[in-house]
Amino acid sequence: MRISVIGCGYLGAVHAASMASLGHDVVGIDVDPDKIARLAAGTAPFYEPGLPELLAEVSGTGRLTFSTDMADAAGAQIHFLCVGTPQKHGEFRADLSYVESAFEDLRPHLAAGDVVAGKSTVPVGTAEDLAARLTGTGASLAWNPEFLREGFAVQDTLHPDRLVYGLPTDDEGVPTAEGDAARALLDEVYATPLSEGTPLVVTDYATAQLVKVAANSFLATKISFINAMAELCEATGADVTRLADAIGYDARIGRRFLNAGLGFGGGCLPKDIRAFMARAGELGVDQALSFLREVDAINMRRRVRMVDLAREVSAGSIVGKRVTVLGAAFKPDSDDVRDSPALSVAAQMQLQGAHVTVTDPQAVENARAKWPDLKYAATALEAAQGADVVVLATEWAEYRDLDPDALGGVVAHRAIVDGRNVLDPKAWRAAGWTYRALGRP
Ligand code: UGA
C-alpha cells in the first residue's frame, strides 16, 4: 500500500521505516529539511536502537522516500499524522499548531477514498473536528493512537501490544460505511501484526483518543504511586525496591513501571497528564482528573528531594562543590532530553552554586543545546574527576555496571546518590562509598 507519514520525529521516522519494512511504499514528510536530508541518506536523525539497521534494511528496496514537500503525499491511500503536540507555553493545554498546519497542508492533496489516520496524542474532540473538515473531500479520518516507547520504538511499532482504530460511527456507535472502508485500509497496513495475533480494538473517535491519554495517565500514576511509597519509606527506614518487588508479585498490580526514583520525564507523560487535566476542565469534569495534579506534584518533588540528598552527602552544602551527574536523557537508550529529570536536577544544583559536570552516552549534544551553561564530559570516569558527589540520574546499563573502585579512584570524595535505585548499596558501601538513594535506607 502507498502510505504517507507526516512528521518524522521519534514517532514518525520509526513508523515510516517500520511500514516500509512491512512491505508498503512509504513517503515520510517533514518541514525540517535537515531531518529529511539525514533520513533520505539513510541516517537516523536521533538515537533509537534498531532504527539505523531498519533504515539500512529498507533503503535498498526503494520503498522508503522522504520529502519536505506535502504534494508528495498525493497518491498515498493512507496518511499518518505523526506530528508533535507539546505543552503550550505557560499553560497545561496541548499546542495543536503542528497538527493544524500539517492537516491544512495535507488537505488539498487528498483524493476521494483516502484515509487520514491520526497518531499524534491530542485532546479528545480533535479527531471529530478534523473529520468535519474533511467533508466534501471524499477522504475520511481514523484515529489510530500509538503506544511506542522510546528506546523500544522499532519493536513496539512492528509488534505492538494492541492496535486501536477510532472510526466514524453512527448514532449507535456502529462504524459507518466510511468507517468500514477506513478499517479495511488499516487492516491492510497492519496485516502482519494482525496475523501475529495482535489484539485489535475498534471503536469511536472519542474512545480512541482517550485510550492514549488514559494509558499514559495510568503509567504516570503507577510511577508516582511508588514514588509516594518511597517518601513513606524514607520516613520509616523501609526499602521501596523490596516493597515494589513484594506488591509486584500480585498479578493485579504487576512489577513493571514500579521503579521508584527520580520519576518520569520525556516528551509524553508529563505533558500528556497536564493536557488531559486541561481538557477535563474544558469538558466540565475536572474533578475526575484532580488526582493527576497529585501525580504531577509527587513526580516533581522527587527532583527536589534528589538535590536535597546531594546536599546531605556533601556535608550540608553543595555550594562550590563538584557534582557529577550520570545521565542527561529522560531515560536510558534515548538521546531525548525533553523534560528530563536528570537535566532538571543538574540545572538546579548548578543554580544553587555547585559546579556540575554532566555525562551521557548519547544525549550530551541535545543537553548542551538546552543547557549550555552546564559542563559536559564524554564518559563517566572523565566526568567524575575530582567529584565531591556523584549523582546517578539516568539508569544507562553502563552506569548500572560501574565499578565502585574504578570510579572511586577518580573522585575526591566517595559519595553517590542513586536516583534510579539500580546500584547495589552493599557493594558501594563496601568500597568505602557513602550511598544514598530515593526511598531506600
Ligand atoms: C511513554 C509510554 O510508555 C508509551 O507507551 C507512549 O507511547 C509514549 O509515552 C508516548 O506517549 O509517545 P516514553 O515517553 O518513551 O513512553 O517513556 P517511558 O518508558 O514511559 O518512560 C517515561 C518516564 O518514566 C521516564 O523518565 C522513565 O525514567 C520513567 N519511569 C518509567 C520511572 O521513573 N519508573 C518506572 O518504573 C518506569
Side-chain angles (χ1 to χ4, degrees):
M1 181 174 306
R2 290 187 65 187
I3 291 176
S4 84
V5 176
I6 325 274
C8 292
Y10 288 97
L11 161 60
V14 175
H15 191 67
S18 300
M19 294 303 108
S21 90
L22 291 179
H24 303 299
D25 273 323
V26 184
V27 57
I29 296 177
D30 199 288
V31 291
D32 179 349
D34 202 45
K35 199 180 279 175
I36 287 301
R38 291 171 73 173
L39 283 164
T43 317
F46 48 83
Y47 178 77
E48 179 62 44
L51 181 58
E53 293 80 0
L54 193 68
L55 286 170
E57 175 197 316
V58 292
S59 71
T61 65
R63 286 198 304 266
L64 181 61
T65 55
F66 291 95
S67 171
T68 53
D69 186 356
M70 191 64 91
D72 290 329
Q77 293 160 272
I78 188 156
H79 309 268
F80 287 99
L81 271 187
C82 297
V83 294
T85 52
Q87 188 176 342
K88 259 196 176 174
H89 189 71
E91 293 182 45
F92 269 22
R93 279 190 297 164
D95 175 358
L96 293 179
S97 58
Y98 302 108
V99 172
E100 276 298 318
S101 63
F103 182 78
E104 283 309 320
D105 287 355
L106 172 66
R107 204 155 54 144
H109 303 292
L110 293 171
D114 282 9
V115 170
V116 179
K119 280 203 165 290
S120 307
T121 303
V122 292
V124 57
T126 306
E128 292 81 345
D129 173 47
L130 298 181
R133 283 147 65 184
L134 290 178
T135 310
T137 61
S140 64
L141 186 104
W143 212 259
N144 175 219
E146 179 57 53
F147 306 101
L148 67 79
R149 299 158 296 167
E150 287 176 29
F152 301 92
V154 172
Q155 158 81 13
D156 287 351
T157 305
L158 291 173
H159 309 283
D161 284 343
R162 75 292 209 188
L163 288 162
V164 175
Y165 303 167
L167 301 175
T169 45
D170 62 20
D171 292 344
E172 267 141 43
V174 178
T176 58
E178 226 183 15
D180 285 337
R183 179 187 173 155
L185 278 189
L186 284 164
D187 280 349
E188 201 178 327
V189 170
Y190 295 120
T192 308
L194 286 171
S195 73
E196 288 168 356
T198 303
L200 168 64
V201 178
V202 177
T203 183
D204 52 85
Y205 288 148
T207 307
Q209 293 163 93
L210 284 173
V211 164
K212 172 65 197 227
V213 276
N216 275 3
S217 297
F218 192 87
L219 294 171
T221 303
K222 211 172 169 188
I223 299 168
S224 276
F225 174 82
I226 200 65
N227 282 332
M229 295 305 110
E231 293 188 8
L232 266 298
C233 288
E234 282 161 24
T236 55
D239 183 336
V240 73
T241 63
R242 303 304 293 148
L243 182 139
D245 291 343
I247 64 172
Y249 284 122
D250 184 332
R252 293 169 303 174
I253 297 173
R255 181 62 177 83
R256 292 176 76 192
F257 261 70
L258 276 188
N259 294 321
L262 198 39
F264 59 82
C268 302
L269 264 44
K271 64 101 178 159
D272 285 353
I273 61 169
R274 292 173 194 151
F276 200 15
M277 283 186 269
R279 186 66 187 126
E282 289 166 0
L283 293 166
V285 286
D286 42 338
Q287 273 192 336
L289 297 187
S290 56
F291 73 96
L292 287 178
R293 270 186 195 279
E294 209 47 55
V295 166
D296 204 358
I298 293 166
N299 193 50
M300 299 314 277
R301 275 208 299 276
R302 294 287 77 190
R303 303 180 185 188
V304 178
R305 177 72 182 137
M306 188 78 183
V307 177
D308 286 345
L309 278 183
R311 194 177 292 111
E312 280 177 30
V313 299
S314 308
S317 172
I318 52 171
V319 178
K321 301 277 172 66
R322 287 175 185 237
V323 180
T324 300
V325 177
L326 302 177
F330 84 102
K331 68 175 200 180
D333 301 311
S334 172
D335 65 354
D336 194 346
V337 299
R338 287 177 293 171
D339 201 351
S340 165
L343 273 186
S344 155
V345 162
Q348 266 310 311
M349 292 190 293
Q350 173 101 345
L351 287 169
Q352 293 182 25
H355 298 295
V356 179
T357 304
V358 180
T359 184
D360 189 284
Q362 295 293 338
V364 164
E365 216 180 295
N366 287 344
R368 201 196 304 275
K370 208 157 190 174
W371 295 100
D373 291 345
L374 292 167
K375 203 174 155 212
Y376 295 94
T379 65
L381 284 184
E382 204 186 301
Q385 293 290 332
D388 295 301
V389 52
V390 177
V391 170
L392 192 159
T394 312
E395 70 277 32
W396 285 92
E398 62 184 83
Y399 303 154
R400 307 169 82 117
D401 297 342
L402 274 171
D403 173 17
D405 276 317
L407 196 69
V410 301
V411 298
H413 295 105
R414 295 191 175 203
I416 189 156
V417 184
D418 179 1
R420 294 293 179 181
N421 286 315
V422 292
L423 302 177
D424 175 6
K426 269 200 209 119
W428 285 76
R429 287 186 179 131
W433 286 79
T434 301
Y435 172 93
R436 295 295 302 273
L438 294 162
R440 262 169 147 181

